[in-house]
């Protein structure tokens, strides 16, 4: 069983940066696909970035070149570095884990979710 706790959200001005962290506990997450999702008010939850056990990554088009997903297996921590933030990036951001062999951002693949951390860009 994997438990996920996100941190690092906050309020920034457009063009600024934030780094989100996710600390899984329980089962080793190194064998899972890990992902970041976001949900803005009135909108569906969408995939932002994912990384598989081999370190291969996938990004949604709107964040390519601005966001970077990474993980530190020694610290058992997942990160999302967000640069050049835009107001449309404002959302609740969720960390999630999937028992899936490749980087995926299909919602139904993810069985474990954190509580979310708010990112507001003005």
């Amino acid at each position: 069983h994997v438990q996920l706790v996100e941190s690092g959200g906050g309020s920034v001005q457009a063009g600024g940066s934030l780094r989100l962290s996710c600390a899984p506990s329980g089962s080793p997450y190194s064998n899972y696909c890990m992902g970041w999702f976001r949900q803005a008010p009135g909108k569906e939850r969408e995939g932002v970035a994912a990384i598989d056990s081999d370190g291969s990554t996938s990004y949604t088009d709107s964040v390519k070149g601005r966001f970077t997903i990474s993980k530190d297996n020694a610290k058992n921590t997942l990160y999302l570095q967000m640069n050049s933030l835009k107001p449309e990036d404002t959302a609740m951001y969720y960390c999630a884990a999937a028992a899936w062999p490749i980087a995926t951002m299909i919602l139904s693949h993810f069985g474990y979710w954190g509580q979310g951390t708010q990112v507001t860009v003005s």
Side-chain angles (χ1 to χ4, degrees):
H1 181 67
V2 179
Q3 293 178 317
L4 305 170
V5 179
E6 304 97 335
S7 62
S11 297
V12 295
Q13 292 187 338
S17 298
L18 283 173
R19 188 176 77 160
L20 305 183
S21 299
C22 173
S25 63
S27 299
Y29 85 111
S30 58
N31 295 327
Y32 287 74
C33 168
M34 301 297 297
W36 288 99
F37 291 77
R38 66 186 179 187
Q39 188 167 18
K43 295 187 176 181
E44 294 186 351
R45 191 169 298 188
E46 64 170 351
V48 176
I51 185 167
D52 67 17
S53 58
D54 292 331
S56 295
T57 59
S58 180
Y59 297 91
T60 192
D61 287 345
S62 63
V63 307
K64 285 180 181 176
R66 300 188 298 122
F67 291 12
T68 303
I69 188 172
S70 63
K71 59 180 181 177
D72 185 331
N73 289 336
K75 295 182 177 180
N76 203 37
T77 302
L78 177 74
Y79 301 102
L80 183 68
Q81 178 67 44
M82 305 185 294
N83 299 327
S84 301
L85 282 161
K86 304 175 180 180
E88 50 263 45
D89 295 317
T90 295
M92 185 71 79
Y93 282 71
Y94 298 90
C95 171
W100 204 258
I102 60 173
T104 175
M105 288 187 286
I106 298 174
L107 218 66
S108 60
H109 291 170
F110 289 81
Y112 303 100
W113 293 86
Q115 293 300 308
T117 184
Q118 178 68 38
V119 172
T120 303
V121 185
S122 59

